[in-house]
Amino acid sequence: MNARIPTEPLQQPEASRAAPQALLDALAERFGARLSTALAVREQHGRDEGSISAPPPQAVVFAESVQDVQDAVRLAAQHGTPVIPYGAGSSLEGHLLAVQGGISLDVSRMNQVLSIDADDLTVTVQPGITRKALNEAIKHTGLFFPIDPGADASIGGMAATRASGTNAVRYGTMRENVLALQVVTAAGEAIRTGTRARKSSAGYDLTRLMVGSEGTLGVFTEVTLRIYPLPEAVSAAICSFPSIEAAVRTVIQTIQLGVPIARVELIDVNSVRVVNAHSKLGLREEPMLLMEFHGSPAGVQEQAETVQQIAQEWGGNAFEWATTPEERTRLWTARHNAYFAAVQSRPGCKAISTDTCVPISRLADCLLDSVAEADASAIPYFLVGHVGDGNFHFGYLLDPNVPQERETAERLNHQLVSRALALGGTCTGEHGVGIHKMGFLADEAGEGAVAMMRAIKQALDPQNILNPGKIFAL
């Protein structure tokens, strides 16, 4: 593989791309107190949850309307200055970093539900609303939005990174669940892509092009989503296994039998240990599957009994049910806090998080070899995975003051991605490319495909002002 990823903090941006004083003055006149150049605000908007660091943007604009976004982008375009869209700041691959200077465009105040079309199972929202706030706003309809990446991410950010998460095995990813968008282009024009109709053959599929573009092709100002009826019955269970392989084989057999399981999460013994400490739980410290079943009461029971039988064939034991909402919430909250629990288990550490995804038939091959490499490295790590769709995450915990540890973690990551690609998988199942996986994209897609992506970027953003330095280099 020829991938190269940053191992040192990124240096100061090129002076020619930094926001000039004339732009800052124009933004101050237009936005008043909604423009901030305070260092604390800029630093907040110049970092994400990943391990790469860079200098902060020169200013932050807080947008409250589509017109605000258009005006900010137009002013930046007049000065050839980068614009980095910002939602909740929960990305992991350096998406928010001002690697070429510029301004951060914060859309978190654009957080309203614009329309609920319950009969059509759609909802239209502003980009700054978070997934939890969206579900709270629509729960009275008996509907919900199922995409759950763990963090309480903004819907705009989730669409921009083509996020998925724990429910993807049943409900799909943002790719399948974004029907339409309003997007502000690099020229400051607001365009619409897609409709609320479930299918269309009208022209290029611009919605699919924009979903996953990581802020490099436009700034989302409206998102229309599929929503789903709340299941009549929900049941969750945990099951411990004698080995990771036994847990993974259980998942593979479950999926290949067509069991419509809603969630199935792998948690390795390291993750169980830190989750127990962080969330004050008493889970058995063994490899574990955390599962959830949706449907009618009879359907849920049938699914659960089938999976329990499969698990027993692979040595699964201590099958425990969580049937009340409180019990389910406790378990899933603990799972979602696994990343933070692991980071806190080694004070001062940074985590390099992987997110390869492979065809389900190759999951065991990829995962088990990668576990063996991680164990041999002696670097602390944890492993969790949305393994129902072949996606899993290693978190390598490194001391940022010990260069050898970062080198070891990046080497493990290279080996993991190389293995996933050789097995027909991808370098990123849900986090996106950002900065960290730029080199891997060429290995996965090929130079011809990356050249086509680059041509699209240059056609739609000739000044390269929209989140430059992400996905690929120009």
Side-chain angles (χ1 to χ4, degrees):
M1 296 182 70
N2 56 31
R4 184 188 67 81
I5 47 186
T7 58
E8 299 294 338
L10 300 176
Q11 302 304 308
Q12 292 291 335
E14 299 175 16
S16 61
R17 300 287 280 172
Q21 189 60 47
L23 172 59
L24 298 179
D25 291 343
L27 291 171
E29 182 178 352
R30 167 62 177 81
F31 291 98
R34 290 189 289 123
L35 171 75
S36 178
T37 56
L39 179 59
V41 176
R42 293 190 294 117
E43 287 181 338
Q44 175 195 351
H45 288 75
R47 61 173 180 263
D48 61 9
E49 295 293 342
S51 62
I52 303 172
S53 60
Q58 279 78 58
V60 179
V61 172
F62 292 90
E64 296 180 353
S65 67
V66 178
Q67 191 64 56
D68 283 350
V69 174
Q70 291 182 269
D71 290 347
V73 172
R74 285 169 179 163
L75 288 170
Q78 290 173 14
H79 296 272
T81 298
V83 177
I84 304 103
Y86 183 98
S90 58
S91 59
L92 290 164
E93 304 295 349
H95 296 96
L96 308 177
L97 303 188
V99 294
Q100 296 184 20
I103 64 170
S104 176
L105 181 55
D106 187 321
V107 298
S108 63
R109 298 181 184 180
M110 298 174 65
N111 58 5
Q112 300 301 305
V113 174
L114 300 177
S115 66
I116 302 172
D117 299 284
D119 290 343
D120 294 323
L121 299 178
T122 67
V123 63
T124 299
V125 301
Q126 292 182 310
I129 192 169
T130 66
R131 64 174 185 87
K132 289 182 180 179
L134 169 58
N135 276 320
E136 184 67 24
I138 65 175
K139 69 179 183 180
H140 69 280
T141 67
L143 303 169
F144 81 120
F145 180 63
I147 309 304
D148 177 5
D152 191 20
S154 69
I155 294 298
M158 289 169 62
T161 55
R162 204 184 303 133
S164 55
T166 59
N167 276 321
V169 65
R170 175 73 174 260
Y171 299 98
T173 72
M174 292 298 284
R175 179 182 65 186
E176 293 81 29
N177 288 285
V178 176
L179 293 172
L181 295 164
Q182 183 184 67
V183 183
V184 172
T185 69
E189 178 186 4
I191 66 166
R192 291 191 178 275
T193 75
T195 70
R196 291 196 301 110
R198 289 303 177 106
K199 60 182 181 179
S200 172
S201 296
Y204 293 170
D205 191 344
L206 297 181
T207 304
R208 299 283 81 71
L209 174 64
M210 290 293 173
V211 172
S213 61
E214 302 184 14
T216 64
L217 298 181
V219 183
F220 299 162
T221 49
E222 288 184 16
V223 187
T224 299
L225 302 164
R226 297 173 186 258
I227 48 179
Y228 297 79
L230 284 164
E232 182 182 359
V234 177
S235 183
I238 57 174
C239 184
S240 298
F241 290 84
S243 67
I244 287 178
E245 180 174 11
V248 171
R249 297 294 180 188
T250 297
V251 173
I252 293 173
Q253 191 171 340
T254 297
I255 300 303
Q256 290 177 339
L257 283 176
V259 178
I261 193 167
R263 293 175 168 179
V264 55
E265 293 285 297
L266 171 68
I267 310 173
D268 80 330
V269 65
N270 298 327
S271 301
V272 175
R273 190 174 296 118
V274 298
V275 162
N276 275 342
H278 180 269
S279 299
K280 305 297 188 291
L281 299 178
L283 301 175
R284 293 168 62 112
E285 294 189 355
E286 296 176 340
M288 177 179 297
L289 292 180
L290 174 54
M291 297 163 281
E292 192 166 280
F293 308 92
H294 294 179
S296 66
V300 164
Q301 183 176 350
E302 182 181 4
Q303 294 170 40
E305 289 175 351
T306 299
V307 174
Q308 188 167 7
Q309 290 173 3
I310 296 170
Q312 290 172 347
E313 293 174 5
W314 290 100
N317 55 64
F319 216 94
E320 298 178 16
W321 295 97
T323 54
T324 68
E326 294 77 15
E327 290 173 326
R328 293 196 303 273
T329 298
R330 180 176 65 92
L331 287 176
W332 286 110
T333 299
R335 159 61 185 93
H336 287 328
N337 288 336
Y339 176 88
F340 302 104
V343 170
Q344 291 179 14
S345 72
R346 191 182 187 193
C349 78
K350 290 280 188 178
I352 291 181
S353 181
T354 72
D355 74 317
T356 49
C357 185
V358 296
I360 189 69
S361 64
R362 310 311 300 272
L363 177 61
D365 297 333
C366 189
L367 199 155
L368 296 174
D369 287 347
S370 301
V371 166
E373 289 175 346
D375 286 339
S377 76
I379 194 168
Y381 76 91
F382 65 100
L383 169 65
V384 295
H386 323 311
V387 286
D389 52 18
N391 184 201
F392 59 90
H393 308 279
F394 280 90
Y396 305 117
L397 304 176
L398 58 95
D399 184 337
N401 298 314
V402 181
Q404 294 85 350
E405 290 195 7
R406 177 175 283 275
E407 291 171 4
T408 298
E410 298 293 9
R411 173 178 56 79
L412 291 170
N413 190 24
H414 272 72
Q415 293 170 180
L416 170 57
V417 172
S418 179
R419 180 174 297 112
L421 296 185
L423 295 173
T426 178
C427 65
T428 173
E430 57 187 11
H431 294 167
V433 174
I435 298 170
H436 198 217
K437 294 189 171 78
M438 287 172 63
F440 294 141
L441 179 63
D443 292 311
E444 177 176 331
E447 293 295 344
V450 173
M452 183 177 288
M453 297 179 201
R454 192 175 285 118
I456 293 170
K457 167 70 170 172
Q458 290 172 328
L460 298 183
D461 181 15
Q463 292 189 88
N464 190 26
I465 65 167
L466 294 176
N467 208 12
K470 315 297 163 56
I471 302 182
F472 45 72
L474 289 179

